Amino acid sequence: VELHDFSALKSLDLQKYQPDLILIEIHGADVARLDQHDVTKYCEERGYRPIACQRSNVFFQRAPGQA
């Protein structure tokens, strides 16, 4: 799904499938402003928070207590 990571993520039913960790490529993302990125907002609305970045890869973890 190269260059379509966000579309692929949005196609998942995160109510049904609840991975503990999501890894997504965000090309051109500014780490200092990651909280303002659409992917971050989308994940946080679903109970995931960013925990690490490596180049364009961002790791989101399901927040404790999210079921």
Side-chain angles (χ1 to χ4, degrees):
V1 293
E2 189 66 28
L3 300 177
H4 299 283
D5 296 50
F6 191 28
S7 296
L9 176 61
K10 290 191 296 187
S11 73
L12 292 175
D13 182 349
L14 292 176
Q15 294 284 345
K16 183 175 181 180
Y17 304 103
Q18 300 177 358
D20 291 327
L21 192 66
I22 295 172
L23 167 61
I24 188 166
E25 270 187 299
I26 303 178
H27 294 280
D30 180 354
V31 174
R33 298 174 66 205
L34 190 61
D35 62 327
Q36 299 173 13
H37 198 282
D38 289 343
V39 173
T40 301
K41 291 176 185 177
Y42 181 86
C43 288
E44 287 180 339
E45 288 169 358
R46 285 151 184 82
Y48 290 83
R49 58 187 172 85
I51 58 164
C53 294
Q54 180 193 29
R55 297 184 187 167
S56 61
N57 297 312
V58 181
F59 296 81
F60 291 88
Q61 184 177 42
R62 189 166 37 152
Q66 296 292 319

